[in-house]
Amino acid sequence: MNYDVIVIGGGLAGLTGAIRCAEAGLKTVVISAGESALAFASGAIDVFGIEQDNSFVECPFAAIRHLPSTHPYQKVGAASLQQGLTFFTEQMAAAGIQLSNFGQQNHGRLTALGAIRPAWLSQEGADSLPLLAPAEGIRRVAIINIAGFRDFQPALMAAGMKRHPGFSEAEFILADIKTATLNINTRNAYELRSLELARTLKRDLFSQPNGINILSSALQKAAGNADLVVIPSVLAVEGGNELIRQLETLTGLRICEVATLPPSLPGMRMASALKQRFRQLGGMFLEGDQVLCGCFAENRLSSVKTRLNPDMPISASHFILATGSFFSQGLASDRHHLSEPVFGLDVDAPDSRDQWSDHRFMDGKPHNLSHFGINTSEQLNPYRNGQKIHNLYCAGAVLNGFNPVQEASSGGVAIGTGWFAANRIIATMPQAEETC
Amino acid sequence: MLNTIDTSFDSCIKCTVCTTRCPVAEVNPDYPGPKQAGPDGERLRIKNPALYDEALQHCTNCKRCEVACPSGVHVGTVIQLAKARHGGFKKGPREFILSHTDMMGSLSTPAAPVVNIATQLKPVKKLLDKVFGIDQRQTLPKYTHQTFRRWFQQQKAQQNRFDRKISFFHGCFTNYNDPTVGKHLVAVLNAMNIGVTLLKKEKCCGVPLIANGFFDKARKNAELNMGQFADSLADSECVLATEPSCAMTLRDEYPEVLHVDNHAIKERILFASAFITREFAKGNKPDMTPVNLRVAYHSPCHLIKQGGVIHTMELLNSIPGLEVIMLDQKCCGMSGTYGFKKENYQTSQNIGQGVFDQIEALNVDYVVTDCESCKMQIEMNTAHKVLHPLTLMAQSLA
């Protein structure tokens, strides 16, 4: 079988690149070994939010100019990164998810532990706070849970928020809404997880003509006159943002949903929207299969072998490797070595294990290993035994030279590099229709 | 003594992705989902068999949990084996009737016209509902009077004229219920200069037997089939199946679930579209005329599991004039014998609703799917006729 483009990895980077290729009319397949890390993510996109000294970044595009030349952003360039993010926002809108930002500034998003993380794009249901003055205009915060839901703890979140100077003086209202109030029938402990709650609410509450009103009055009663109402993201996967907006209209309150422990509904929402777009554009999503190895000749990759059909290699003229970092098994380690398990690409890492991490686990300093990854050319081509592979591009967390958590840059790197790789491919393919 | 418990289920990182993708958990709150039923429950069951949870009966063995798992855990298999080990299958007369497809087929085909009329009569359906618990709202599959094997007898001489040969594992449905797909496979392969032979003898692949807990019988069938494959592969290139669940069982379930070793010939057991697209890639493509239709393609769970949707889509996309819309990959809810059982009827319908709604919202001439069980469910619940991809390809042959 022959494709124009094979994308290995169905996460944020892979799907962004794949959607771009499919949109340009290229015959594209994504091979994904199971669900990606998106299902565990916040459903917000960060670009660059935290400097080396742990201070927040307000204007990411200005800040990334000062990054070292090995950083993926320096290879992609600010202009391409911005185009990629615009493209991504448009694609999400086409799939029914509106992403909002604060002009050209980062905003703050609340986490379930009460931390404020810088983000560039957030879904509408997640309230955007001004990054440097998140508590502006907020004197009373209500944190409201559905009674029995264990993956969200209002008291823990309040304690986290209070550590922020702006919120230290705020009044916190912590409350539960009883399942009986919502007329929902949960009989088993497992029904009190985020997705199961969403399904139960859909079945027992939102199917009723006045269902949303029951919820809105319960919220109103619990929240009193709070300036900000925080609820865990358990209302719905599809259409969850619209529900929050409806509740805001009905209650007159400012409501913010926060992603909980996995499964994260805003993350799932984003993952399914991306897959839906890819399929609508004619892409083939091959899930549950895994690329085992590739066939290389003259510094080019010609085909890949997969676990399920090893004797039927799939060939393509271009490839994107977007298999993620250690968590997603795009990078592997044993006691002495770090490796890239699919093609055995050259990984940039020190030989001595002592240099992989700091001896102190949580002293606020980043560990070296989060910088490790595949070393690429300026065009994101990797090397194999020192030889550059010309038709293979790497994107997302598998790349070296950046620290997604410490910098708050994982979303931007995934989208920016996925977009960049796709455009490099499109530029070399005469049959691609230029649409952007 | 060595501890020989298989603990590969402990690669589970408890991410819950499998449960988010489980079609049963989505509609039936009595099912705790594959994470709890599979790897979580397995820890408890190893500790104390009394901790076996009856809720495992709700699993349909669709395998979507395994497709979604980012850690490579065989969640569905863990659940099936636990059901077998802990007496989790209710093996009554109904289960026997529904799962012994080849036995029922050989009994019913000689009297097919009578059987077909009888099984559509309301009083008979009511009786089957009351006595056996086979839901009366389901349309029962019809039997063919002339089995596929009998039809094939007349083709033998023609097939011997080809230099290249494949063995066709027709499965129960093609032989006893509707031989159409088998006939179309023969036509398509002949147009590609490949002849077809049948195994001297074949038994049900075992998929309904596994789903109803008749593991010993399934293993016996597997051993017989493996012997037949070994014989037939001496003078044919490979064994093809047109039914995704048969192909999955022969390739994956034999070693994983039934512990019947097939590694020596596994790569020569293929789903038909995989073989055909591999031939296309080698340049062996028959002349095809346009089939000017707009169709919606539904991906069967067991084809997704074996990574075969890519091959069927390649086959469909090679048919000139055909416009193929790929439906969102949701389960139709039938799951072979599952949807026929009275207690599962509503769950089965609720699962399938997502597929039915998508189809009704599209303006298509036909629905296309590879699986006979999906076909039954979709035809029963939408206004559309469902075709096999090979039927469209046969139509396209010049």
Side-chain angles (χ1 to χ4, degrees):
Chain A
M1 251 175 321
N2 196 24
Y3 278 79
D4 292 326
V5 185
I6 294 175
V7 179
I8 306 158
L12 190 55
L15 279 168
T16 302
I19 291 170
R20 175 70 184 117
C21 290
E23 190 205 34
L26 299 179
K27 187 180 173 191
T28 309
V29 59
V30 172
I31 304 172
S32 167
E35 182 62 271
S36 75
L38 270 174
F40 318 119
S42 65
I45 300 295
D46 50 11
V47 169
F48 188 79
I50 305 171
E51 290 285 9
Q52 285 272 315
D53 63 1
N54 286 336
S55 63
F56 279 165
V57 173
E58 276 194 284
C59 302
F61 296 99
I64 62 173
R65 284 195 218 121
H66 310 294
L67 290 169
S69 63
T70 48
H71 195 286
Y73 282 154
Q74 295 295 16
K75 298 179 180 176
V76 168
S80 188
L81 172 62
Q82 253 170 328
Q83 284 168 17
L85 289 162
T86 306
F87 171 79
F88 182 80
T89 309
E90 287 164 4
Q91 293 303 319
M92 292 297 286
I97 296 179
Q98 302 297 328
L99 295 171
S100 57
N101 70 7
F102 260 66
Q104 290 302 303
Q105 285 198 335
N106 276 329
H107 58 266
R109 74 169 173 85
L110 279 168
T111 74
L113 290 178
I116 289 152
R117 291 281 296 175
W120 178 252
L121 297 168
S122 280
Q123 294 182 29
E124 280 187 306
D127 201 79
S128 317
L129 304 170
L131 183 62
L132 300 184
E136 210 172 61
I138 302 173
R139 273 174 303 161
R140 280 175 304 272
V141 181
I143 307 179
I144 298 169
N145 198 11
I146 291 184
F149 176 52
R150 293 164 300 168
D151 293 337
F152 180 71
Q153 302 294 333
L156 194 60
M157 180 164 185
M161 284 177 80
K162 276 183 193 161
R163 291 176 55 187
H164 195 283
F167 286 113
S168 59
E169 297 301 313
E171 179 194 339
F172 281 84
I173 303 158
L174 309 182
D176 277 344
I177 296 177
K178 302 265 178 298
T179 50
T181 311
L182 300 175
N183 300 324
I184 59 173
N185 181 15
T186 51
R187 291 161 296 171
N188 304 296
Y190 61 75
E191 289 176 70
L192 288 159
R193 295 181 304 213
S194 58
L195 182 63
E196 280 76 2
L197 262 178
R199 287 168 176 167
T200 309
L201 286 166
K202 184 179 175 185
R203 187 190 64 214
D204 294 351
L205 182 70
F206 297 133
S207 61
Q208 307 299 319
N210 64 338
I212 183 116
N213 301 88
I214 295 174
L215 177 60
S216 74
S217 37
L219 266 178
Q220 220 155 11
K221 206 169 148 197
N225 56 353
D227 304 306
L228 176 70
V229 180
V230 179
I231 57 170
S233 178
V234 296
L235 298 188
V237 184
E238 276 170 46
N241 291 306
E242 291 72 14
L243 265 173
I244 298 287
R245 206 167 44 205
Q246 255 181 293
L247 286 170
E248 285 190 324
T249 312
L250 287 169
T251 58
L253 293 165
R254 177 178 167 191
I255 302 174
C256 172
E257 73 163 7
V258 297
T260 65
L261 282 176
S264 149
L265 303 196
M268 284 176 63
R269 206 179 281 154
M270 188 170 263
S272 60
L274 287 168
K275 286 180 208 167
Q276 183 196 327
R277 275 308 285 159
F278 180 56
R279 199 171 37 244
Q280 281 169 353
L281 293 164
M284 165 58 74
F285 194 76
L286 183 56
E287 197 183 21
D289 204 353
Q290 193 180 359
V291 175
L292 298 176
C293 58
C295 180
F296 290 85
E298 292 168 8
N299 300 329
R300 292 180 73 85
L301 175 59
S302 57
S303 64
V304 295
K305 233 181 216 195
T306 70
R307 181 176 60 81
L308 291 174
N309 291 290
D311 59 339
M312 276 181 270
I314 313 174
S315 51
S317 36
H318 291 87
F319 299 80
I320 298 176
L321 183 77
T323 41
S325 184
F326 298 99
F327 175 72
S328 301
Q329 298 159 44
L331 297 172
S333 66
D334 61 21
R335 289 176 68 85
H336 305 290
H337 301 98
L338 289 167
S339 60
E340 184 283 301
V342 180
F343 299 124
L345 300 174
D346 299 349
V347 173
D348 174 40
D351 290 334
S352 161
R353 197 189 155 94
D354 291 343
Q355 294 169 42
W356 290 6
S357 58
D358 206 81
H359 290 295
R360 296 178 63 85
F361 184 61
M362 287 184 108
D363 67 351
K365 279 187 288 182
H367 293 284
N368 276 341
L369 66 92
S370 15
H371 273 271
F372 298 166
I374 297 172
N375 187 28
T376 64
S377 71
E378 291 298 300
Q379 311 293 338
L380 301 183
N381 300 117
Y383 298 85
R384 194 166 174 263
N385 307 321
Q387 298 295 313
K388 186 161 95 175
I389 310 299
H390 297 280
N391 64 337
L392 173 62
Y393 299 84
C394 295
V398 76
L399 291 166
N400 73 345
F402 77 112
N403 186 330
V405 178
Q406 196 272 330
E407 298 168 359
S409 65
S410 60
V413 168
I415 292 168
T417 54
W419 161 263
F420 179 86
N423 282 336
R424 295 296 307 162
I425 292 170
I426 292 164
T428 65
M429 304 281 290
Q431 71 267 45
E433 308 155 14
E434 211 32 67
T435 51
C436 286
Chain B
M1 204 177 95
L2 279 172
N3 182 0
T4 54
I5 298 171
D6 177 9
T7 53
S8 60
F9 67 86
D10 246 1
S11 304
C12 170
I13 60 161
K14 312 296 168 202
C15 71
T16 326
V17 157
C18 54
T19 297
T20 70
R21 301 285 198 86
C22 173
V24 180
E26 190 175 348
V27 301
N28 183 358
D30 291 335
Y31 186 53
K35 170 176 165 279
Q36 190 167 323
D40 286 7
E42 196 69 2
R43 282 186 173 179
L44 301 176
R45 295 187 287 262
I46 288 173
K47 198 168 168 58
N48 181 357
L51 296 171
Y52 176 80
D53 182 355
E54 288 301 328
L56 265 66
Q57 65 179 300
H58 299 297
C59 168
T60 64
N61 201 28
C62 74
K63 301 276 184 187
R64 281 179 182 256
C65 44
E66 296 188 11
V67 172
C69 178
S71 306
V73 178
H74 295 169
V75 189
T77 300
V78 169
I79 295 171
Q80 291 306 305
L81 292 177
K83 280 164 83 171
R85 212 168 44 240
H86 297 276
F89 290 102
K90 182 184 145 224
K91 291 186 273 188
R94 174 187 67 178
E95 283 68 24
F96 188 88
I97 293 171
L98 289 174
S99 63
H100 288 58
T101 44
D102 46 8
M103 180 191 287
M104 291 310 292
S106 51
L107 290 173
S108 303
T109 43
V114 182
V115 174
N116 290 345
I117 292 170
T119 52
Q120 285 177 79
L121 295 173
K122 264 198 183 151
V124 175
K125 291 179 87 172
K126 260 206 176 111
L127 192 74
L128 288 172
D129 188 304
K130 284 268 153 2
V131 177
F132 294 116
I134 296 174
D135 200 286
Q136 56 182 311
R137 289 163 289 188
Q138 292 285 21
T139 309
L140 296 166
K142 289 187 178 170
Y143 287 97
T144 174
H145 193 48
Q146 187 191 40
T147 62
F148 176 76
R149 288 190 90 90
R150 186 118 57 83
W151 172 83
F152 191 83
Q153 287 298 324
Q154 303 140 24
Q155 311 297 315
K156 263 190 173 163
Q158 167 76 14
Q159 298 307 314
N160 285 333
R161 293 218 290 265
F162 294 97
D163 291 338
R164 294 182 60 188
K165 261 190 201 71
I166 62 93
S167 302
F168 176 36
F169 182 91
H170 49 65
C172 304
F173 197 92
T174 298
N175 195 37
Y176 300 114
N177 298 96
D178 187 352
T180 313
V181 174
K183 291 176 184 174
H184 288 152
L185 177 77
V186 174
V188 165
L189 291 176
N190 286 179
M192 297 164 76
N193 287 312
I194 299 166
V196 175
T197 59
L198 300 187
L199 307 168
K200 278 199 190 69
K201 203 177 170 191
E202 74 164 66
K203 286 273 187 184
C204 165
C205 68
V207 77
L209 295 165
I210 294 170
N212 287 283
F214 297 96
F215 277 58
D216 291 340
K217 172 75 177 133
R219 199 169 293 116
K220 260 189 204 152
N221 284 9
E223 276 155 5
L224 182 136
N225 289 333
M226 285 301 294
Q228 291 292 316
F229 296 161
D231 288 350
S232 74
L233 285 172
D235 45 21
S236 69
E237 291 176 23
C238 52
V239 177
L240 298 190
T242 49
E243 179 63 39
S245 299
C246 296
M248 181 193 78
T249 306
L250 304 176
R251 284 169 63 91
D252 303 327
E253 304 278 88
Y254 278 12
E256 266 182 42
V257 179
L258 300 176
H259 305 300
V260 172
D261 182 16
N262 68 355
H263 83 274
I265 56 167
K266 183 178 168 183
E267 292 315 324
R268 292 174 74 187
I269 305 170
L270 292 167
F271 183 63
S273 6
F275 174 82
I276 291 167
T277 49
R278 192 171 70 182
E279 286 297 309
F280 285 2
K282 290 179 189 161
N284 181 14
K285 205 170 185 176
D287 288 333
M288 287 190 266
T289 55
V291 176
N292 294 314
L293 293 172
R294 187 178 136 92
V295 299
Y297 175 68
H298 163 75
S299 338
C301 298
H302 286 171
L303 192 59
I304 297 174
K305 167 64 173 60
Q306 58 191 298
V309 174
I310 189 171
H311 301 122
T312 292
M313 283 303 287
E314 181 83 2
L315 186 154
L316 289 171
N317 286 327
S318 74
I319 299 174
L322 190 69
E323 187 192 343
V324 188
I325 300 157
M326 198 173 173
L327 297 172
D328 191 6
Q329 300 193 336
K330 291 190 163 174
C331 175
C332 78
M334 182 58 110
S335 300
T337 60
Y338 185 90
F340 284 104
K341 297 176 187 169
K342 200 173 172 163
E343 68 276 19
N344 297 337
Y345 178 79
Q346 204 47 54
T347 299
S348 161
Q349 291 290 306
N350 292 348
I351 293 173
Q353 202 58 48
V355 177
F356 314 149
D357 290 347
Q358 284 185 72
I359 292 170
E360 298 293 12
L362 289 169
N363 184 20
V364 290
D365 299 310
Y366 294 100
V367 175
V368 175
T369 195
D370 316 79
C371 169
E372 297 289 355
S373 166
C374 301
K375 174 186 155 97
M376 271 190 256
Q377 176 85 327
I378 294 169
E379 289 190 337
M380 253 185 289
N381 293 286
T382 69
H384 287 79
K385 190 169 159 54
V386 181
L387 303 177
H388 192 278
L390 285 170
T391 298
L392 286 168
M393 195 172 159
Q395 256 184 51
S396 166
L397 295 175

